[in-house]
Amino acid sequence: MPAPTVTLFVRFPVAGQAKTRLIPALGEEGAAALHKRLAERTVETMRASGLPMELRVTGAGPAEFAEWLGDDLSLVDQGDGDLGERMARAATPPRIFIGSDCPDLSVEHLHAAATALGDSDVVIGPAEDGGYWLLGFTSPCNDVFVDMAWGTDTVLPETLRRLAAKGIEPILLEMLSDCDRPEDLERWPDLSVSHRANER
């Protein structure tokens, strides 16, 4: 099997449009600055993994993303729709999907996911909020994600139920946390420090 492509869904860091659930704690500019830093960290991790990579972008055109994150990247517009619809538009597997919300994502996590796809059709990185920080596939599973209640704590159990109905037993990686809500900021004080330094 060829090495899976790591695909990042990422939004351009426009104030008021990025990390909106953190605006009450950080303000519009602060939330966008934090999102910018998280996305940059994620891209750095992807590059360091040595795996093929692609960015699925929204909020600006490819030129703006290339200026921000580098002109060596494969950049594709996400298009409309929920996460399931946007994943379905991605090219043929094997593929690993991630977002930029997981500060603890490491090269080792990406390598573990790639290795897992040698033993299972699906790999999942479960998140503490009931969703996931990573999804990987060796073959299309688009029907699994139709009418999914994205953003709720039912996403992971419902995904596992639907995969079981298809006879697929995914490999689960370690559980990590996303940085989505004001209370999440306490987990990563370095992110808040970076944010305050950028404001000065």
Side-chain angles (χ1 to χ4, degrees):
M1 182 183 75
T5 298
V6 181
T7 297
L8 172 67
F9 288 103
V10 62
R11 173 176 291 278
F12 201 77
V14 177
Q17 299 178 22
K19 282 289 177 201
T20 55
R21 285 187 285 180
L22 290 178
I23 289 175
L26 300 177
E28 292 185 354
E29 295 287 344
L34 179 58
H35 169 71
K36 180 176 184 289
R37 179 65 186 132
L38 284 172
E40 289 167 355
R41 283 169 61 143
T42 303
V43 171
E44 289 169 8
T45 300
M46 293 167 68
R47 280 196 175 101
S49 76
L51 293 167
M53 56 188 288
E54 175 190 83
L55 271 58
R56 294 264 163 169
V57 302
T58 189
E64 289 86 351
F65 275 94
E67 183 177 355
W68 169 30
L69 295 170
D71 57 9
D72 62 321
L73 299 167
S74 173
L75 301 166
V76 182
D77 186 78
Q78 287 184 24
D80 297 326
D82 65 17
L83 179 59
E85 293 170 311
R86 286 178 280 143
M87 286 194 296
R89 280 193 290 270
T92 306
R95 192 166 289 264
I96 293 169
F97 295 100
I98 60 173
S100 59
D101 299 331
C102 186
D104 294 329
L105 178 72
S106 68
V107 169
E108 289 73 23
H109 290 128
L110 296 180
H111 286 171
T115 299
L117 289 180
D119 298 316
S120 176
D121 289 334
V122 180
V123 60
I124 298 175
E128 288 188 3
D129 63 4
Y132 21 73
W133 51 270
L134 178 148
L135 279 172
F137 306 94
T138 61
S139 58
C141 295
N142 298 336
D143 55 324
V144 172
F145 303 104
V146 175
D147 295 326
M148 185 69 75
W150 300 109
T152 71
D153 60 6
T154 66
V155 171
L156 177 60
E158 178 62 16
T159 299
L160 295 175
R161 186 192 69 78
R162 294 182 187 186
L163 289 172
K166 294 170 67 71
I168 298 174
E169 183 175 353
I171 291 177
L172 298 181
L173 303 178
E174 68 172 303
M175 185 172 288
L176 297 178
S177 296
D178 290 333
C179 185
D180 285 324
R181 303 161 300 176
E183 56 266 33
D184 296 332
L185 294 171
E186 296 180 3
R187 290 177 179 267
W188 300 282
D190 64 309
L191 292 177
S192 297
V193 169
S194 297
H195 159 62
R196 288 194 295 270
N198 287 337
E199 283 195 326
R200 289 197 291 268

